[in-house]
Amino acid sequence: MKIRSITYFCNPGWPLEAKVIRRAAEFLAGARSAYQAAGYEVQTTRLATVPFPLLLGRNGVEALPRLAQELDGAIQQAGIAYASLGPALPEEARGYPLIPEALAASENIFLSGMMADAQRGLSLSAVRACAGIVQRVSTLSPDGFANLRFAALANVAAGAPFFPAAYHDRDEPAFALATEAADLAVNAFSAHATLNDGRRALIAEIEKHAQVMVRVARSLPCSFRGIDFSLAPFPEQARSLGAALERMGAPRLGLHGSLFAAALLTECLERAAFPRTGFSGLMMPVLEDATLAQRAAEGTLTVRDLLLYSAVCGTGLDTVPLPGDTTAEQLAALLLDLCSLALRLDKPLTARLMPIPGAKAGEATHFDFPFFANSKVMALEAATHAPLPWRETVFMRSR
């Protein structure tokens, strides 16, 4: 198991306050050393701000591209790997169309767009705006890679340390941990003959690691928001969430029985005792998991399957390769389904969709990125138009 990220949450002000960035860098360097001393590899340190419309103010949102460019330079100088500027918000709609330009102006800045939550309801105009962002961002590079840095959010609260969903909602700084822990599930269900024994072993491992991480957190000079103990994978079989699910009895991910395995594995996380934040669930990023990528390439795992599994476990639709000619209307229809699950089930879900320019369903992907396993472009079953009253806000009650 590794720590994927130590994420520091703050309000850096605008214009950017150098002392805030400096304090963030100093804290993150100390935190990295503390967790390394406790035996953990820390892959990245990151910074997440309050949502950029609040940071820039109602009359300054047009400065988003400049903010992204300046923050990118500041974190690189400070030794921080990535920063998230949080979501565009439905009440400040001018923020959404600025996101592609901000991503183009930076290399290490992540952004998101809020589509729905219990307080605001489901904003159809925000859904459509997020779909348009995905489509525009896909053209920033020939491989569509820039959409790695954008996510559409549904019912996602502040304090999640995983990017692109991370954002802050307080005046005082805080930090949280994101784990890369799919290997714990692979090991637990490989070493035990029964599901109940594997479940007990996994829960014990989660709690053992959580106790160490919390003990270190309490020694650090910053408010601790908790651990997002999501079973995030890495693109090799030993760290594949898909491999863990198949070792639980699903013959091939995507076939019947997979939903049961996903639900059971999620229950392990729910039973484990630790201070939680963010998703604390299964992460099923197609291109970041060797087994998921393989099953998608075979056609066994579909976008509909991923959406179905989100109902019982995951964080939504993540690094999903789609045809380059996918329309904004088709993307919006998929995002509507995601929002509906998030609101009705009262859970956080995100969509990080990656249309690949010029690619058609069934064609191979060719990403040169160490955190990706190549797969094939997945078909999206959605009409090219959606006759909806896009300016409305719809409120859905959770069950």
Side-chain angles (χ1 to χ4, degrees):
M1 195 206 85
K2 300 179 182 180
I3 294 175
R4 174 71 63 85
S5 173
I6 305 173
T7 301
Y8 182 87
F9 298 91
C10 67
N11 183 343
W14 180 248
L16 294 174
E17 298 181 30
K19 63 181 180 180
V20 176
I21 306 297
R22 185 170 61 251
R23 282 198 298 263
E26 291 171 353
F27 171 80
L28 289 168
R32 178 193 284 271
S33 295
Y35 279 104
Q36 288 174 336
Y40 292 99
E41 178 182 333
V42 178
Q43 292 183 330
T44 62
T45 57
R46 307 178 183 183
L47 182 148
T49 74
V50 297
F52 71 84
L54 304 182
L55 183 60
L56 294 171
R58 180 172 294 275
N59 296 323
V61 71
E62 287 80 7
L64 174 62
R66 184 158 63 93
L67 169 61
Q69 188 175 44
E70 291 189 15
L71 183 58
D72 198 359
I75 63 170
Q76 293 309 298
Q77 187 174 5
I80 301 170
Y82 305 110
S84 169
L85 282 167
L89 302 173
E91 57 267 29
E92 184 47 83
R94 291 178 300 165
Y96 293 88
L98 295 167
I99 287 176
E101 184 181 351
L103 292 174
S106 61
E107 294 182 359
N108 302 288
I109 301 300
F110 288 67
L111 285 149
S112 56
M114 187 67 71
M115 301 183 293
D117 61 26
Q119 292 72 41
R120 295 181 179 89
L122 192 165
S123 170
L124 295 176
S125 60
V127 169
R128 189 177 190 181
C130 286
I133 293 169
V134 172
Q135 187 182 51
R136 286 176 59 196
V137 171
S138 72
T139 66
L140 295 181
S141 64
D143 58 2
F145 187 73
N147 265 311
L148 185 72
R149 296 190 284 129
F150 174 76
L153 309 186
N155 211 29
V156 177
F162 278 101
F163 279 25
Y167 68 98
H168 194 36
D169 64 347
R170 303 175 186 176
D171 293 330
E172 295 300 315
F175 80 102
L177 302 175
T179 65
E180 183 187 287
D183 57 321
L184 298 185
V186 175
N187 295 339
F189 289 97
S190 298
H192 295 86
T194 71
L195 291 176
N196 281 327
D197 286 345
R199 174 165 57 183
R200 282 190 289 268
L202 177 56
I203 292 171
E205 281 294 299
I206 291 171
E207 292 181 341
K208 180 187 75 174
H209 286 287
Q211 288 171 5
V212 177
M213 289 189 286
V214 170
R215 184 168 64 248
V216 174
R218 289 174 177 166
S219 72
L220 298 172
C222 188
S223 176
F224 182 50
R225 295 197 72 150
I227 306 169
D228 192 335
F229 218 120
S230 291
L231 300 178
F234 185 83
E236 61 183 30
Q237 289 299 324
R239 290 186 276 171
S240 164
L241 182 62
L245 293 168
E246 292 188 356
R247 292 181 190 190
M248 295 172 68
R252 281 186 298 160
L253 199 62
L255 299 181
H256 288 302
S258 301
L259 182 66
F260 162 76
L264 184 62
L265 199 48
T266 302
E267 189 195 33
C268 294
L269 288 162
E270 293 171 348
R271 286 173 177 260
F274 61 91
R276 61 190 66 219
T277 190
F279 302 96
S280 293
L282 306 190
M283 286 197 165
M284 303 185 74
V286 175
L287 294 175
E288 294 181 358
D289 186 296
T291 303
L292 268 64
Q294 181 180 350
R295 299 302 179 230
E298 296 169 352
T300 307
L301 182 68
T302 68
V303 176
R304 281 188 175 182
D305 293 325
L306 293 167
L307 193 63
L308 174 63
Y309 303 154
S310 294
V312 300
C313 66
T315 59
L317 304 171
D318 200 6
T319 62
V320 179
L322 295 174
D325 62 356
T326 302
T327 67
E329 288 78 11
Q330 290 173 308
L331 292 167
L334 179 59
L335 294 176
L336 279 176
D337 286 348
L338 184 90
C339 289
S340 301
L341 284 176
L343 292 179
R344 288 289 296 143
L345 301 178
D346 192 20
K347 64 182 302 182
L349 293 174
T350 72
R352 189 159 47 161
L353 307 173
M354 303 185 72
I356 301 174
K360 298 180 180 180
E363 293 183 351
T365 65
H366 301 283
F367 290 102
D368 183 16
F369 183 55
F371 289 90
F372 272 9
N374 277 302
S375 181
K376 289 185 178 179
V377 176
M378 303 177 75
L380 183 59
E381 298 179 11
T384 56
H385 67 281
L388 291 170
W390 286 110
R391 295 185 182 276
E392 289 191 37
T393 296
V394 178
F395 286 90
M396 288 187 177
R397 301 170 71 180
S398 62
R399 62 183 180 186

